[in-house]
Amino acid sequence: MRRVSLPGACRATRVRSLRHLFPGLALWFLTPSFAMAHHVLGRPAYSLNEDSNTPPSMQVETQIGDYFVTYMVFPAFPRPGAPGRINLYATRLDDGRPFHGEVTFKVRDDSWFGGREEILGVQSPDDNVYRQGFVFTDAGDYVITAEFESEGEPYVIDFPLRIGDPAPIGPIGLAVGTIVAVLLGVNLAQRRRLLTAKIRKARDEARP
Amino acid sequence: MNDPGLAALLSGPTCLALGTGNATMTHRGLPVSWGMVTLAFVLAAALWALARTPAKGIESQGVSLGRLPLIGPGIRRLTATPWVLISLRMFLVALFLLVITAGLFGTPIPERNLATMLTWNLWWAGLVFSVLLLGTAWCAVCPWDALAHWLVRRRLWRRAEPNNSLNLRVPRPLRSVWPALWLFIGLTWLELGVGITTSPYATALVALLMVVLATVSLALFERKAFCRYFCPVGRTVGFYSQLSLVELRPIEAEICAHCRTLDCYYGNAQIEPCPTWLVMGRLTQNSYCISCGNCTQSCPHDNIAWRFRSPAAEAVVGARPRWDEAWFMLILLALTIFHGLTMMPFWEPAMRALARVIGDSGRLLWSFSAGLAACIACTSLLYWGAARWAHRWTGSTMPFRRFFATFAFTALPLAFAYHLAHNLNHLARESSGLGAVLRDPLGVHAQPLSLAEKHLHHLDTWIPLDVLWALQTGLMALGFVIALQIIRHRGRSALGEAGQPAWRLAPLILFACAVTAFNLWLLMQPMVMRF
């Protein structure tokens, strides 16, 4: 089984409507006019097409086994209760032929205690693009899994999806907690040292 | 290409490079003519060096800023008062906290967030220039250390007694630059492999991690072990500052020679001791000085001041060779080359091809790590081969390990010159747009830059391209000349006082030529922009 987990999301391209996605993608692949950013596989990139008034989207490109996979999330920063969509496009690395089988999209909560996986849907290609809609009621970090099988070999691609604003208290809490714990520990150790020194001094002075 | 506007843009200094399945924005490299002229100069200088027997050691003559007429007393007063440094530290700590806030709470769009723009496009790219002009001055105002100091010592600047630290000795295996070197390789891996440069959140996490490391180290170990042994940025700044134009040194060597109190080393009732265990009277290299100003403030004779000097003086003569430091300098050279390589348009297709061979997926981190390891291994092997060959040819009685360390200083100017030339490109072409980010540091409701805006940003260089290219070639030539000086003057001891012909040092000169030529070639390639 081929599996890939991406810790970040990638690049964004905006199209006028989803019906125009494939021509948009094709144009993007064929001409430089859709090139948006310093592109590195697996890294998030956001961009805006100035010809359109829709919100920006986010795009991730990756390579797995024999396939080059592109997926987009519309909008780039989905909110709870608002509909969004994932578009996935896979082509063979050797000859660029698009994948034509079915792709299963699953989702699971990416928090420490939320591991239950649900199937979002099983999609067939539409103009070589797999489209999966979603609506999340709660904000949080989720992992979307796209699964497909090619030549008897299963392919699994995980990528994170953030719904709503991030909760940055974790890193700050961890940093402040570590610092406070170390400083308290050092303070206690120092007090003990000073106390030991005092006792030793008093003992030395009491000695005849 | 049907769009004439786009066609016009593409013919300019910024262009789009089409790869397999994607397109990236690149900047035009150094023109071939500039590269060829520099290469011709390098070859001519190398031939000259081969033909001429090395002269006797050069004298390091500096001009003490404290002794200059008119401005001298002012400079001495400024360095003797702690308030200038404290003000700068407070300002930078405020900016640093803003960077963390922007990274954690701001937009994830890198070009719209202060965390990524300020950290990677301005600070990381510009730091190396501050080393050239101001030595290790950055360390004096470093917000990681300032925060750690305030948290542990609980004093703004005066000496704290007790100093709230366990004052443990750093374990012997860690008392070298190896920890800093491994952390530096790790930082490079995060920067170029994982891509924290394009993630404000990850940038903030790394910033927080550095503060935690600095604070824990200060709370556990005596003096500032983090600055001396662990800090990857501090050690890089330290080694590069061997080639800086300034140094903090005694004004009168005689006064230090007769000093009995050594306040610079031990401190006094008000001022902390030297955080990196240095005695100013015996200081010969900048590597471990963090310009904190403790010595200038504690010296009872007012005898410590900044001075101007030749950038070659220290690496050519003053610095002493050590095994761990030699490796630090060599790997520093490898990592600067690697930085350049990863920004070439051919890098990603190469990684993708490698990934297919080794079965790598996703972010291709295994392929990236293999590339990083290969670059370090190739550079080290090239130097090792040159040093081994030169050791045999010269018939030096010096043990090979010492010979290896002595000539490893050659790597320093080669790395520094390329680093400066490469970063000049980043600074000149990527720092525009900082004003907008400063006005909205968190990028609230900000949209990604459109293609046209990106092009305009990249076209908006603050120095003319001809000047940029002239500076780049000048830096490369200067780096090579200093490397030649190091080989020739350090080679005197290897060749013996009887004076063997200089061509016996040819392997080391060839190493410097090969590295300079390769770095020139990298500069001549189009460079993929950060974001």
Side-chain angles (χ1 to χ4, degrees):
Chain A
M1 181 172 76
R2 302 252 184 207
R3 183 174 193 116
V4 57
S5 297
L6 293 164
C10 270
R11 155 177 195 148
T13 309
R14 211 170 50 148
V15 291
R16 281 180 188 281
S17 77
L18 292 172
R19 279 180 296 133
H20 298 132
L21 177 68
F22 179 65
L25 262 178
L27 191 63
W28 175 73
F29 277 113
L30 294 173
T31 73
S33 60
F34 274 75
M36 297 295 175
H38 176 183
H39 169 77
V40 180
L41 285 187
R43 286 191 203 166
Y46 306 85
S47 55
L48 187 70
N49 185 341
E50 57 268 45
D51 298 332
S52 170
N53 58 0
T54 53
S57 59
M58 181 174 65
Q59 182 173 319
V60 178
E61 289 179 353
T62 189
Q63 178 174 322
I64 175 170
D66 292 331
Y67 284 91
F68 184 81
V69 178
T70 305
Y71 60 87
M72 294 177 182
V73 179
F74 300 92
F77 311 112
R79 316 292 307 176
R85 191 180 292 270
I86 300 157
N87 294 313
L88 187 134
Y89 178 76
T91 52
R92 286 192 67 86
L93 282 165
D94 45 11
D95 55 11
R97 269 188 300 120
F99 176 67
H100 283 298
E102 285 187 330
V103 176
T104 305
F105 290 91
K106 295 178 179 174
V107 64
R108 67 174 187 273
D109 192 342
D110 198 22
S111 62
W112 283 11
F113 304 107
R116 198 166 64 88
E117 199 167 54
E118 283 177 35
I119 292 181
L120 278 172
V122 179
Q123 304 298 334
S124 298
D126 176 15
D127 279 345
N128 298 323
V129 177
Y130 297 85
R131 300 185 174 94
Q132 176 64 57
F134 61 77
V135 178
F136 286 86
T137 50
D138 299 323
D141 290 307
Y142 298 91
V143 174
I144 303 289
T145 303
E147 290 180 4
F148 61 91
E149 200 174 295
S150 172
E151 292 170 358
E153 193 171 13
Y155 284 75
V156 180
I157 304 155
D158 285 344
F159 57 94
L161 182 65
R162 170 77 220 167
I163 304 292
D165 295 322
I169 301 304
I172 293 178
L174 196 66
V176 171
T178 309
I179 288 172
V180 168
V182 168
L183 293 182
L184 274 176
V186 167
N187 200 288
L188 287 174
Q190 261 202 334
R191 276 165 193 253
R192 207 171 154 179
R193 263 188 194 176
L194 285 172
L195 197 65
T196 314
K198 262 187 191 171
I199 292 168
R200 193 172 294 147
K201 196 179 167 192
R203 219 181 267 162
D204 289 348
E205 281 171 0
R207 217 173 269 167
Chain B
M1 195 181 310
N2 300 323
D3 184 347
L6 188 62
L9 279 176
L10 297 185
S11 64
T14 304
C15 66
L16 294 167
L18 282 169
T20 48
N22 62 61
T24 52
M25 198 174 285
T26 60
H27 279 312
R28 191 179 151 194
L30 193 69
V32 176
S33 54
W34 287 88
M36 287 300 128
V37 168
T38 318
L39 198 59
F41 170 81
V42 163
L43 291 175
L47 287 173
W48 174 85
L50 286 170
R52 292 276 300 266
T53 306
K56 281 198 167 177
I58 57 167
E59 283 292 313
S60 167
Q61 288 179 338
V63 179
S64 177
L65 294 180
R67 280 180 154 183
L68 289 177
L70 298 174
I71 59 165
I75 289 173
R76 282 169 82 160
R77 262 196 298 277
L78 274 180
T79 51
T81 173
W83 295 108
V84 177
L85 278 183
I86 290 170
S87 310
L88 282 170
R89 274 181 205 150
M90 289 170 104
F91 171 72
L92 285 167
V93 164
L95 204 59
F96 179 71
L97 294 177
L98 182 63
V99 162
I100 291 177
T101 310
L104 294 180
F105 296 89
T107 176
I109 302 167
E111 68 269 23
R112 296 295 200 190
N113 193 303
L114 181 79
T116 33
M117 281 294 282
L118 194 67
T119 306
W120 303 111
N121 280 14
L122 192 69
W123 172 71
W124 195 231
L127 183 63
V128 72
F129 292 92
S130 86
V131 177
L132 177 67
L133 303 172
L134 302 168
T136 55
W138 168 257
C139 295
V141 293
C142 166
W144 304 340
D145 175 55
L147 276 170
H149 186 93
W150 294 342
L151 285 167
V152 177
R153 301 280 192 254
R154 289 176 240 156
R155 290 274 200 289
L156 203 55
W157 66 276
R158 279 183 209 284
R159 184 171 193 158
E161 280 302 337
N163 66 6
N164 306 317
S165 166
L166 286 185
N167 295 312
L168 302 174
R169 292 205 75 190
V170 176
R172 185 170 280 280
L174 298 180
R175 268 182 259 154
S176 64
V177 292
W178 289 112
L181 180 55
W182 284 110
L183 281 172
F184 191 54
I185 293 173
L187 193 63
T188 305
W189 190 81
L190 286 175
E191 181 199 347
L192 302 170
V194 177
I196 56 171
T197 52
T198 55
S199 167
Y201 191 78
T203 301
L205 289 189
V206 171
L208 277 172
L209 178 70
M210 297 314 283
V211 174
V212 171
L213 287 178
T215 309
V216 171
S217 170
L218 192 62
L220 295 182
F221 300 119
E222 55 181 346
R223 304 207 181 184
K224 290 192 174 170
F226 179 77
C227 301
R228 163 103 196 190
Y229 300 117
F230 309 138
C231 180
V233 176
R235 287 308 92 238
T236 305
V237 165
F239 278 97
Y240 274 160
S241 71
Q242 289 185 30
L243 300 164
S244 80
L245 292 166
V246 293
E247 60 186 7
L248 198 57
R249 291 289 190 279
I251 299 170
E252 296 285 354
E254 275 299 298
I255 294 176
C256 285
H258 295 102
C259 180
R260 293 285 169 266
T261 56
L262 292 182
D263 288 21
C264 55
Y265 184 79
Y266 295 111
N268 60 27
Q270 294 285 315
I271 309 294
E272 293 257 345
C274 174
T276 51
W277 293 271
L278 300 175
V279 177
M280 289 310 284
R282 286 186 226 142
L283 191 63
T284 54
Q285 63 188 82
N286 276 355
S287 313
Y288 297 101
C289 173
I290 59 168
S291 305
C292 63
N294 286 1
C295 51
T296 56
Q297 290 157 35
S298 63
C299 179
H301 312 288
D302 242 357
N303 191 42
I304 313 293
W306 288 95
R307 71 179 185 190
F308 273 129
R309 62 168 193 187
S310 153
E314 192 173 307
V316 171
V317 183
R320 286 171 302 164
R322 274 182 43 174
W323 182 245
D324 57 331
E325 293 179 0
W327 277 103
F328 193 96
M329 292 184 281
L330 270 179
I331 293 179
L332 195 57
L333 173 65
L335 294 181
T336 53
I337 293 172
F338 186 69
H339 264 79
L341 275 173
T342 59
M343 289 172 200
M344 297 297 112
F346 56 75
W347 175 257
E348 189 161 316
M351 284 297 101
R352 291 177 58 189
L354 177 62
R356 287 205 76 188
V357 173
I358 63 173
D360 194 7
S361 289
R363 297 184 137 191
L364 313 189
L365 287 177
W366 285 109
S367 313
F368 173 85
S369 306
L372 174 64
C375 188
I376 292 174
C378 286
T379 312
S380 307
L381 272 175
L382 189 65
Y383 174 73
W384 183 87
R388 176 62 80 184
W389 187 10
H391 189 247
R392 280 202 189 145
W393 260 19
T394 54
S396 173
T397 51
M398 201 186 270
F400 177 68
R401 200 175 149 105
R402 188 169 168 74
F403 190 91
F404 182 97
T406 299
F407 287 96
F409 286 95
T410 311
L412 204 57
L414 301 176
F416 195 42
Y418 177 66
H419 203 151
L420 286 165
H422 173 89
N423 279 17
L424 202 56
N425 232 349
H426 280 304
L427 266 185
R429 292 164 148 167
E430 293 179 13
S431 56
S432 69
L434 199 66
V437 175
L438 282 172
R439 283 192 294 277
D440 180 12
L442 275 68
V444 181
H445 305 307
Q447 300 283 318
L449 288 178
S450 67
L451 181 63
E453 283 173 316
K454 281 189 176 178
H455 269 296
L456 285 174
H457 266 215
H458 292 166
L459 287 169
D460 185 18
T461 55
W462 52 268
I463 43 175
L465 280 179
D466 282 331
V467 176
L468 175 73
W469 293 328
L471 286 171
Q472 284 181 318
T473 49
L475 284 166
M476 294 301 291
L478 183 66
F480 181 74
V481 167
I482 295 177
L484 271 189
Q485 275 187 294
I486 289 169
I487 295 169
R488 285 165 55 76
H489 289 283
R490 288 188 180 261
R492 273 187 67 82
S493 56
L495 293 175
E497 285 302 315
Q500 295 183 47
W503 58 262
R504 289 186 186 274
L505 292 168
L508 291 162
I509 294 174
L510 269 178
F511 167 77
C513 282
V515 170
T516 306
F518 186 71
N519 286 345
L520 265 174
W521 177 78
L522 283 178
L523 284 176
M524 287 156 69
Q525 305 308 307
M527 187 172 90
V528 175
M529 302 319 289
R530 219 190 289 276
F531 41 74

